[in-house]
Amino acid sequence: MIEKIISQPSIDVVNPLLFSMGEDVMGFLNEVQLQYPEAISFASGRPDAKYFNMGQFSECLDYFVQHNVREKGIEENIVLENLGQYNRTKGIINTEVAKYLFIDEFIKVNPEDILITVGAQEAISIGITTLCDRENDVILVEDPAYIGITHFAKINDYKIESIPVIANESSIKAIEDKILEHQEKGKKVKVVYVIPDFQNPTGNSMSLSNRHKLLALARLYDFVIFEDNAYGDFYYENEKMPTLKSLDENDTVIYLRSLSKTIYPSLRLCLMVVTQKVKVQDKIFALSDLMAKTKGYVTVNTPSIMQAMFGGLLLKNKFSLESLNAEKRTGMKEKRDQLLESLNHFFNKETQYWAENISWNLPAGGFFLILKVPFKVTKEDVIRCAEVNKVIFTPMSFFYMNEGGENELRLAFSNVTKEEIIDGVQRLSEFIKSKVKNQ
């Protein structure tokens, strides 16, 4: 059979929906960065590796092991054997995580309603797979959006549609209009996916008022909110905003707390809070149990060694990451400020006439800034800029489900030094100046 496929190539042997996604954004940007390693990259929203503190991995792992020996009276060899074995689908550090969520996020949750998943991407996939019917249900996603959910839905043939980024009251009205539109067609909006804090890619934050309005809308129309929180710890201007889940009084929110930005990506952990109860065939189930059932057929369980390392970190720090994140937050704010200073210098409208129609936002947190330019930005521009000017950026159009962002580019400042920011913005200004002058 393999020989036949190789000798007679055919599109029939792969999922045709794989080609419905449009641009392979992640693949393209990775290729550009690999092809031009000397270029300064504002493309990737990677966290700064200098804060990873990888040396603490074994220390935290050992702390977790010894805690189990001391507090639970389990022999050390048994603890270690259990860490090397298949384990609970929901996770092995749920009690520690519940304490952390209460202390740092003001989320009160039973440990049994927590799933420790292999990153937020798995949490999204098992959430949609468990909840959504391909024929009758609709998923609404802010546009532009994190492409992980949009592309997952398209590959797996789930109905997904865009809504505006929730920045004002009209955005809430747009969601309600979309819900009513689908009701008339006999369809149900089952999930609304949002990143309330410093959204990727726009950097937008949902106001407290709109958080309450979205919760009320979910209650009224009986949909589930997927709250993806990867950037909430990186606030630079005001106090930390309350999560939707901490405000949720009616179990309308499923909370996804990625640790990729706050700890490090290779930990591959996300804390998924699923407090809902559902009725199926006259029986009441904990939705977390059904999610665990789905997960069991996806990854079986999340690696226990990685969970133990994070569990040890929580135990050592009295179930709070606030003190650990303070230094990272300060460092990220300094980078954001340097980026703003560099933009003001190299795109100064008073001294650079060609910069008259160029502008940018002031992100109050997160990893990203949006630069608006007076021309359409293409993937060819990315390649040209990397090749000639030795700097890489991401066209905002890559993140839109339909049209949008054609005159914008995203700059990620999280994984570059302040010196690289100055140099990179100067190089970018030369590229943009040449584009403006040659229009």
Side-chain angles (χ1 to χ4, degrees):
M1 182 63 181
I2 294 177
E3 291 179 357
K4 182 179 180 181
I5 292 174
I6 293 174
S7 62
Q8 296 180 2
S10 171
I11 188 64
D12 295 336
V13 302
V14 299
N15 178 0
L17 295 172
L18 186 64
F19 299 93
S20 69
M21 299 186 303
E23 183 67 62
D24 179 10
V25 176
M26 293 182 181
F28 171 71
L29 291 174
N30 284 334
E31 280 297 314
V32 172
Q33 291 178 95
L34 288 172
Q35 191 171 353
Y36 303 99
E38 73 282 8
I40 295 171
S41 178
F42 292 111
S44 174
R46 295 181 176 189
D48 191 332
K50 81 175 185 179
Y51 297 115
F52 286 176
N53 194 8
M54 293 297 292
Q56 73 179 350
F57 185 98
S58 59
E59 181 184 332
C60 289
L61 179 61
D62 185 61
Y63 195 94
F64 181 83
V65 171
Q66 296 308 316
H67 172 82
N68 277 268
V69 172
R70 291 192 311 270
E71 302 298 323
K72 300 180 181 178
I74 307 173
E75 293 181 12
E76 182 174 334
N77 66 307
I78 300 298
V79 176
L80 292 171
E81 287 173 3
N82 286 338
L83 289 180
Q85 191 54 273
Y86 291 109
N87 229 306
R88 294 182 72 247
T89 304
K90 284 187 177 180
I92 66 168
I93 56 170
N94 300 49
T95 298
E96 291 83 358
V97 165
K99 292 178 181 179
Y100 155 69
L101 290 170
F102 182 71
I103 292 171
D104 278 9
E105 306 287 354
F106 306 105
I107 296 172
K108 189 174 183 179
V109 57
N110 186 314
E112 281 302 307
D113 286 331
I114 297 170
L115 283 82
I116 314 299
T117 65
V118 185
Q121 193 62 44
E122 188 198 18
I124 290 168
S125 66
I126 66 175
I128 291 175
T129 304
T130 304
L131 286 174
C132 295
D133 178 280
R134 288 180 174 85
E135 295 298 321
N136 301 307
D137 294 338
V138 180
I139 303 163
L140 299 184
V141 177
E142 291 178 295
D143 197 26
Y146 165 59
I147 59 175
I149 185 170
T150 55
H151 286 27
F152 170 82
K154 288 178 180 179
I155 292 173
N156 290 280
D157 203 23
Y158 288 100
K159 178 70 172 175
I160 186 166
E161 290 198 10
S162 64
I163 53 174
V165 174
I166 301 175
N168 50 48
E169 192 168 347
S170 65
S171 308
I172 300 294
K173 178 66 165 56
I175 297 174
E176 186 169 24
D177 289 345
K178 188 75 74 170
I179 291 169
L180 295 174
E181 174 189 328
H182 283 292
Q183 281 184 351
E184 291 181 1
K185 299 176 183 177
K187 305 289 184 182
K188 177 178 176 55
V189 169
K190 180 68 69 68
V191 170
V192 174
Y193 170 88
V194 294
I195 303 177
D197 296 290
F198 319 120
Q199 193 238 21
N200 180 13
T202 65
N204 176 72
S205 283
M206 196 184 300
S207 69
L208 182 60
S209 173
N210 278 334
R211 292 178 194 230
H212 283 293
K213 288 173 183 176
L214 181 60
L215 289 167
L217 205 64
R219 178 67 172 169
L220 178 62
Y221 291 105
D222 190 31
F223 62 80
V224 177
I225 301 168
F226 278 21
E227 178 182 16
D228 191 347
N229 186 5
Y231 305 98
D233 286 324
F234 297 96
Y235 53 96
Y236 310 138
E237 297 299 321
N238 304 307
E239 293 183 356
K240 189 175 183 178
M241 290 281 282
T243 64
L244 284 167
K245 189 60 183 174
S246 69
L247 301 171
D248 181 23
E249 297 178 353
N250 299 296
D251 286 333
T252 58
V253 177
I254 290 176
Y255 184 67
L256 315 179
R257 185 52 156 118
S258 169
L259 300 175
S260 292
K261 313 301 182 185
T262 52
I263 309 299
Y264 42 80
S266 67
L267 192 66
R268 301 310 304 132
L269 293 182
C270 174
L271 317 176
M272 186 178 191
V273 179
V274 187
T275 56
Q276 293 77 7
K277 298 288 189 294
V278 293
K279 188 174 183 180
V280 183
Q281 297 176 346
D282 295 325
K283 293 183 180 180
I284 304 297
F285 294 89
L287 184 56
S288 60
D289 290 340
L290 301 182
M291 296 281 186
K293 182 178 180 180
T294 301
K295 176 177 168 57
Y297 293 102
V298 178
T299 55
V300 184
N301 60 262
T302 298
S304 298
I305 293 175
M306 310 310 283
Q307 293 187 64
M309 179 270 157
F310 181 60
L313 185 68
L314 290 179
L315 288 165
K316 287 186 66 177
N317 290 277
K318 296 181 172 55
F319 310 103
S320 174
L321 300 180
E322 274 300 307
S323 60
L324 294 177
N325 289 329
E327 181 186 0
K328 301 173 189 177
R329 185 163 52 247
T330 298
M332 289 299 112
K333 182 180 185 299
E334 289 176 355
K335 292 184 183 187
R336 183 211 61 171
D337 292 346
Q338 181 61 71
L339 179 57
L340 290 170
E341 181 182 325
S342 297
L343 289 169
N344 281 319
H345 177 74
F346 292 109
F347 292 88
N348 189 311
K349 294 177 174 57
E350 294 181 2
T351 59
Q352 310 290 343
Y353 73 90
W354 53 267
E356 180 181 1
N357 295 313
I358 296 170
S359 61
W360 51 88
N361 66 324
L362 196 166
F367 287 7
F368 311 108
L369 178 146
I370 308 304
L371 188 70
K372 294 185 178 182
V373 294
F375 56 86
K376 287 190 175 181
V377 183
T378 66
K379 61 184 289 187
E380 288 73 26
D381 287 328
V382 177
I383 296 170
R384 178 69 175 169
C385 189
E387 187 176 86
V388 177
N389 301 91
K390 300 296 186 288
V391 65
I392 305 171
F393 59 84
T394 307
M396 276 292 288
S397 59
F398 281 8
F399 300 99
Y400 281 83
M401 291 178 61
N402 301 304
E403 294 183 351
E406 290 83 4
N407 295 80
E408 299 174 340
L409 51 93
R410 189 191 76 171
L411 301 179
F413 53 85
S414 54
N415 195 36
V416 283
T417 66
K418 288 191 286 186
E419 292 73 24
E420 287 173 330
I421 288 172
I422 297 169
D423 195 10
V425 173
Q426 181 177 17
R427 297 181 193 184
L428 182 63
S429 70
E430 292 300 320
F431 171 76
I432 291 177
K433 178 170 66 174
S434 67
K435 287 284 293 186
V436 172
K437 287 185 173 182
N438 291 326
Q439 286 189 100

